[in-house]
């Protein structure tokens, strides 16, 4: 199971590290290895949330996520995205941006860092909406009941999550963004840039999440009929299989996953510049890390880990909320990558420990007294 799920990740790791050593020696080998670990630590919560969405899809779309999706994640976000940032900010062509990355790494790093306020605002608002829609949603399984239940009551107010997100954006643009961090330690007023980028992130979430939810709801009746058919087949002694979402619903969930991965990768790409300005080292290291995040997502789905450890998704969503806040804060103050990475991993580890404790006292799959029935936790879509 491990080799089947992580085989490609192992292969890419060996090939990537071998290429780094062959072209750049032990220095390149070490930097690529460090960047791989950085990407995994920053994106572990991403894998947990991805698994909660991916388990709704059928085998075909899960395979698409591992093939086409990984191409988008590795080549699109980890290689092309930094180049696009430079091209847009410098108002130059992509080839010129590549030339800067290869021949003038300091200039390249400066342009990417100076574009950080807009990147952080877009990604921060997208991730914040995921967290808010999770925390304001009423659910039977609660981790921190003293906090989640009162907030779920507030979530019954129409568009309450959107209102909170807009208030957070307004506060960020009017305070933090007035002295945005730039390359070399200087600060500029980026209020308008942050406001526009934040609204774009919010609209992207509403559009992609809304479309995926719309088509998912349209298929609920079909799923009910399939469920009835499966029960009839089981009574008749025929073999049945789990049917996941397909068609338009699966496509928009896939699109949502890719936008979600893009939002998570912002932090990894920006954080990588604290380690190196070498574009190919960054692409190799972050690409290897992205492969493991993809494989870990599939492993969580196939092993049913999210069902067995009931609070993992809660911990991941709290980590998303923390990352969203840290992205907005980082518009003005530089936060060490070890802080953002370890904080998210720590929340997930705490949720995992809580799940183990629950299983020890109540048994796996057995709800607590304050949770009458165990239900799956939605992704916020």
């Amino acid at each position: 199971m491990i080799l089947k799920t992580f085989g490609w990740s192992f292969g890419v790791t060996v090939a990537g590290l071998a290429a780094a050593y062959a072209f750049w020696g032990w220095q390149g080998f070490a930097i690529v290895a460090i960047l791989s670990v950085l990407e995994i630590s920053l994106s572990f919560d991403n894998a947990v949330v991805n698994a909660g969405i991916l388990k709704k899809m059928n085998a075909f779309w899960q395979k698409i996520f591992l093939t086409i999706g990984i191409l988008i994640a590795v080549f699109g976000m980890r290689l092309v995205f930094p180049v696009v940032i430079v091209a847009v900010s410098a108002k130059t062509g992509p080839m010129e941006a590549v030339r800067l990355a290869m021949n003038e790494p300091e200039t390249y790093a400066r342009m990417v860092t100076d574009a950080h306020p807009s990147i952080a605002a877009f990604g921060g608002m997208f991730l914040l909406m995921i967290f808010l829609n999770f925390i304001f949603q009423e659910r039977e399984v609660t981790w921190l009941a003293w906090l989640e239940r009162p907030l779920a009551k507030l979530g019954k107010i129409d568009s309450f999550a959107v209102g909170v997100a807009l208030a957070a954006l307004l506060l960020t643009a009017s305070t933090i963004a007035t002295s945005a961090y730039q390359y070399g330690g200087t600060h500029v007023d980026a209020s308008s840039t942050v406001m526009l980028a934040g609204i774009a992130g919010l609209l992207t979430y509403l559009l992609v999440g809304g479309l995926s939810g719309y088509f998912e709801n349209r298929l609920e009746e079909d799923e009910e009929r399939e469920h009835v058919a499966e029960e009839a087949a089981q009574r008749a002694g025929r073999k049945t299989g789990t049917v996941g979402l397909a068609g338009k619903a699966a496509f928009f969930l896939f699109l949502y996953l890719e936008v979600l991965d893009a939002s998570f990768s912002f932090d990894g790409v920006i954080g990588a510049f604290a380690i190196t300005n070498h574009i190919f080292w960054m692409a190799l290291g972050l690409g290897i890390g992205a492969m493991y995040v993809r494989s870990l997502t599939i492993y969580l789905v196939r092993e049913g880990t999210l069902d067995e450890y009931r609070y993992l998704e809660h911990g991941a969503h709290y980590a998303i909320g923390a990352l969203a806040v840290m992205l907005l804060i980082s518009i003005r103050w530089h936060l060490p990558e070890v802080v953002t990475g370890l904080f998210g991993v720590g929340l997930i580890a705490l949720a995992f420990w809580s799940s183990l404790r629950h299983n020890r006292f109540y048994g796996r799959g057995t709800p607590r007294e304050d949770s009458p029935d165990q239900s799956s936790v939605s992704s916020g879509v």
Side-chain angles (χ1 to χ4, degrees):
M1 177 64 184
I2 295 294
L3 185 61
K4 181 180 179 181
T5 305
F6 289 89
W8 277 101
S9 297
F10 294 152
V12 169
T13 301
V14 172
L17 292 176
Y21 175 76
F23 287 100
W24 302 289
W26 286 111
Q27 182 184 9
F29 179 93
I31 295 299
V32 169
I34 292 172
L35 288 172
S36 302
V37 175
L38 172 69
E39 179 68 12
I40 295 172
S41 65
L42 290 176
S43 301
F44 186 81
D45 45 0
N46 187 13
V48 177
V49 176
N50 282 353
I53 303 171
L54 197 64
K55 67 182 182 181
K56 302 177 184 179
M57 300 181 182
N58 61 17
F60 170 77
W61 280 99
Q62 290 182 6
K63 186 175 295 185
I64 291 294
F65 176 74
L66 272 182
T67 53
I68 297 176
I70 195 62
L71 291 176
I72 297 173
V74 174
F75 295 102
M77 291 308 303
R78 274 73 179 184
L79 180 60
V80 177
F81 175 65
V83 173
V84 172
I85 291 176
V86 174
V88 172
S89 60
K91 297 180 180 180
T92 185
M95 296 306 298
E96 176 63 16
V98 173
R99 187 195 68 78
L100 288 173
M102 297 179 63
N103 301 325
E104 301 180 37
E106 288 296 327
T107 302
Y108 179 78
R110 176 179 60 78
M111 291 179 174
V112 174
T113 303
D114 290 349
H116 176 70
S118 57
I119 298 170
F122 181 94
M125 291 304 297
F126 187 90
L127 295 178
L128 183 61
M129 279 301 301
I130 294 175
F131 170 72
L132 292 177
N133 270 332
F134 175 85
I135 201 67
F136 288 139
Q137 184 179 29
E138 189 172 10
R139 61 193 70 254
E140 293 174 341
V141 175
T142 58
W143 182 30
L144 305 178
W146 58 271
L147 174 65
E148 295 173 16
R149 289 182 174 177
L151 291 179
K153 293 179 180 179
L154 291 175
K156 294 180 180 180
I157 303 174
D158 290 341
S159 304
F160 190 75
V162 176
V164 172
L166 287 174
L169 177 59
L170 181 61
L171 179 64
T172 301
S174 60
T175 57
I176 295 176
T178 56
S179 183
Y181 179 84
Q182 297 287 275
Y183 189 80
T186 61
H187 292 79
V188 299
D189 187 350
S191 301
S192 59
T193 300
V194 167
M195 181 64 74
L196 289 175
I199 291 176
L202 176 62
L203 290 176
T204 300
Y205 174 86
L206 294 175
L207 177 62
V208 178
L211 286 173
S212 62
Y214 169 73
F215 285 106
E216 184 180 354
N217 291 335
R218 285 191 59 183
L219 288 179
E220 283 184 353
E221 292 184 2
D222 292 338
E223 288 180 328
E224 274 300 318
R225 287 194 292 267
E226 289 170 356
H227 181 66
V228 172
E230 285 178 9
E231 289 182 340
Q234 288 176 350
R235 287 194 296 269
R238 296 193 302 271
K239 185 178 180 181
T240 62
T242 301
V243 179
L245 291 181
K248 292 181 179 179
F251 170 75
F252 281 106
L253 279 178
F254 169 77
L255 184 60
Y256 175 81
L257 277 173
E258 292 306 313
V259 178
L260 176 63
D261 179 77
S263 298
F264 273 97
S265 68
F266 292 157
D267 194 49
V269 170
I270 297 300
F273 280 99
I275 299 174
T276 180
N277 295 330
H278 198 295
I279 185 174
F280 294 114
W281 292 358
M282 289 176 58
L284 281 174
L286 298 181
I288 291 172
M291 286 293 297
Y292 280 97
V293 173
R294 279 299 198 275
S295 296
L296 181 60
T297 299
I298 293 296
Y299 180 82
L300 292 174
V301 172
R302 292 175 177 172
E303 289 294 302
T305 306
L306 298 184
D307 296 326
E308 185 175 358
Y309 303 103
R310 55 198 274 129
Y311 302 129
L312 270 184
E313 283 189 279
H314 291 69
H317 280 87
Y318 279 108
I320 286 176
L323 178 58
V325 172
M326 286 187 284
L327 275 173
L328 296 178
I329 291 175
S330 70
I331 293 174
R332 183 167 185 170
W333 296 283
H334 175 71
L335 300 178
E337 286 67 36
V338 66
V339 173
T340 58
L342 290 180
F343 196 86
V345 172
L347 285 171
I348 294 175
L350 184 59
F352 179 73
W353 176 81
S354 297
S355 301
L356 287 177
R357 189 168 178 269
H358 173 273
N359 292 342
R360 186 182 304 117
F361 283 103
Y362 300 97
R364 295 182 179 179
T366 304
R368 298 187 318 182
E369 293 180 359
D370 64 346
S371 301
D373 297 298
Q374 184 176 7
S375 64
S376 61
V377 181
S378 75
S379 62
V381 183

